[in-house]
Amino acid sequence: MNASDFSIVELGDPRLRQRARPVDLDDLAGVLPIADVMREWMDRRGGVGIAAPQIGVDLQMMIIASRPNQRYPDAPLMQPLLLLNPQPVRYGDNTIEEWEGCLSVPGLRGKVRRPDAVEIDFYDLHGKGHQLALTGFPARIFQHEYDHLIGMTFVDRVASVQDLVTEKVFLEQILPARQPVTAPAPL
Ligand code: NI
């Protein structure tokens, strides 16, 4: 399995609009090569997360890879974490509005309100179950990627089309006007 045999699926493609199938935890042999391709495309595009449907693979798989940035200077620098069949279990009470981008929505940024914390269940490459509590930037990455597993994108989450801007306007007008400034990576 070669990364060049895949490409990033973009908004409007029906593969981004379906609910992904669960990974068969009794047959994990094919999962690592898929994860490697996801990782390759995430890195190529400088993303901090990716979901399998974004490379056209209909499976409940995601990688989250938080790293510090200007908006979340305390965001953990984490080793990319592969999550199989992830499920949100409980959301935090507080919500935060923040700009998001997406590998599958090139050229656009959107302001999205989401809970600032989420507790999740997931399985690892060996089929072992885990629980994890995420806050801040990693919680946002998870929720963004989870949307990809249920056929949604951040574009569906903006409160108004006025919360959508081009990358150019975001970088030239919105980013410089913000304090503290933010430079979110595509998810
Ligand atoms: Ni995305």
Side-chain angles (χ1 to χ4, degrees), residues 54 101-104 144-145 148 187:
Q54 292 185 273
C102 180
L103 302 177
S104 296
H144 176 111
E145 304 308 340
H148 285 305
L187 308 178

Side-chain angles (χ1 to χ4, degrees), residues 6-178:
F6 296 80
S7 61
I8 294 291
V9 174
E10 295 186 356
L11 184 68
D13 190 306
R15 289 174 291 177
L16 282 184
R17 284 299 182 197
Q18 55 189 12
R19 282 185 168 266
R21 291 184 299 117
V23 173
D24 180 355
L25 298 173
D26 294 322
D27 183 14
L28 291 168
V31 167
L32 184 57
I34 296 169
D36 285 343
V37 171
M38 291 167 61
R39 172 79 187 273
E40 171 74 23
W41 277 103
M42 182 183 75
D43 289 346
R44 277 190 199 183
R45 298 290 173 87
V48 293
I50 191 169
Q54 292 185 273
I55 59 162
V57 172
D58 175 26
L59 287 172
Q60 294 174 15
M61 296 173 58
M62 71 165 74
I63 296 172
I64 61 176
S66 166
R67 57 175 186 260
N69 58 69
Q70 288 169 294
R71 175 60 179 161
Y72 295 90
D74 299 326
L77 173 60
M78 52 189 285
Q79 282 292 107
L81 179 63
L82 175 68
L83 311 180
L84 307 181
N85 300 347
Q87 291 291 334
V89 178
R90 199 154 66 89
Y91 291 101
D93 293 330
N94 298 324
T95 62
I96 298 178
E97 214 172 42
E98 188 50 83
W99 291 92
E100 294 184 13
C102 180
L103 302 177
S104 296
V105 190
L108 280 184
R109 296 287 175 127
K111 198 164 53 178
V112 181
R113 179 169 289 281
R114 297 188 190 271
D116 68 348
V118 61
E119 295 175 17
I120 66 171
D121 283 348
F122 69 95
Y123 294 87
D124 66 20
L125 263 180
H126 310 289
K128 184 171 185 289
H130 299 268
Q131 286 85 44
L132 191 59
L134 299 171
T135 58
F137 194 48
R140 178 164 294 266
I141 297 173
F142 172 83
Q143 292 173 74
H144 176 111
E145 304 308 340
Y146 185 75
D147 276 350
H148 285 305
L149 303 184
I150 59 172
M152 295 186 71
T153 69
F154 81 83
V155 175
D156 304 302
R157 296 287 190 191
V158 298
S160 150
V161 288
Q162 297 187 22
D163 291 331
L164 285 174
V165 301
T166 67
E167 184 89 7
K168 182 170 185 284
V169 169
F170 178 76
L171 294 175
E172 292 179 359
Q173 298 181 32
I174 293 175
L175 191 56
R178 300 192 77 205

